[in-house]
Amino acid sequence: MSSLESSRSAATPMLHFLCGKIGAGKSTLAARLAAPPRTLLLSEDRWLAALYPGEIVDVADYGRCASRLRNAMGGHVAALVAAGLSVVLDFPANTRRSREWLLAVAQEAGCPHQLHYLDVPDAVCKARLHARNASGTHPYKTSDAEYDAITAYFVEPEAAEGLCIIRHAWLAGEEVSPAAGLL
């Protein structure tokens, strides 16, 4: 066995999931989690923007399109893990139903998982959201009213859901600007 093969077999593929309100820093953390070799980042926002340009104008549109994407991606993600890759799913795990889907993907893949829960106050999320909207770097702009409507569906994860939860708590005084990389 070559040293490359032995180093691949020594690393167990992992699935990473993200939970947190809009602007909590999920995509920034996802990019950091995807930095190691043999780790792939899949971003729901980027896939939705590419597959459904201009079609997602409200929460109902998002739900319909996101459901289609999840149905298509589950088996593909499991195949990526079976091929020896770790996968970071930058798909919001913000409801019990979305977390049930993610747990089913992990079970199909037969690998360990981590749910990264970014516990950030609404005021901080909204400040980050405003900065993100102004930067123009995200495929979607979200208003305060949309933030409030989407956040109404948010359900904090619980250990009883069977997920390995890693809580990332926001600390008072943390930078909120895009330059800090916390958007």
Side-chain angles (χ1 to χ4, degrees):
M1 179 182 294
S2 74
S3 62
L4 179 59
E5 289 173 325
S6 65
S7 68
R8 284 183 183 166
S9 63
T12 301
M14 171 77 69
L15 279 175
H16 295 276
F17 312 132
L18 295 127
C19 177
K21 297 173 184 174
I22 299 170
K26 295 182 301 296
S27 294
T28 298
L29 178 59
R32 290 180 189 154
L33 293 169
R38 304 196 50 75
T39 304
L40 179 67
L41 172 62
L42 297 175
S43 166
E44 180 187 68
D45 285 340
R46 294 195 187 280
W47 276 90
L48 291 175
L51 292 172
Y52 305 105
E55 293 182 44
I56 301 176
V57 296
D58 59 26
V59 175
D61 290 337
Y62 165 76
R64 177 180 46 80
C65 295
S67 178
R68 288 179 182 168
L69 181 60
R70 284 186 207 109
N71 288 338
M73 295 296 288
H76 179 66
V77 170
L80 291 169
V81 171
L85 296 173
S86 289
V87 178
V88 179
L89 282 171
D90 188 4
F91 285 50
N94 292 344
T95 64
R96 284 193 177 96
R97 186 173 180 186
S98 63
R99 291 189 294 270
E100 288 170 0
W101 173 75
L102 291 164
L103 184 58
V105 170
Q107 290 169 339
E108 181 180 348
C111 71
H113 69 275
Q114 294 178 338
L115 173 70
H116 297 270
Y117 170 37
L118 289 86
D119 188 2
V120 179
D122 286 328
V124 173
C125 289
K126 283 186 176 181
R128 291 176 179 177
L129 176 62
H130 296 156
R132 183 175 81 186
N133 285 345
S135 75
T137 59
H138 195 271
Y140 299 104
K141 288 192 175 188
T142 306
S143 69
D144 283 355
E146 291 167 326
Y147 174 92
D148 293 337
I150 293 167
T151 299
Y153 291 94
F154 182 85
V155 177
E156 188 171 326
E158 299 175 347
E161 294 177 60
L163 295 155
C164 176
I165 301 170
I166 298 172
R167 185 173 174 264
H168 301 264
W170 180 80
L171 301 173
E174 279 184 330
E175 184 61 49
V176 178
S177 73
L182 294 174
L183 296 180

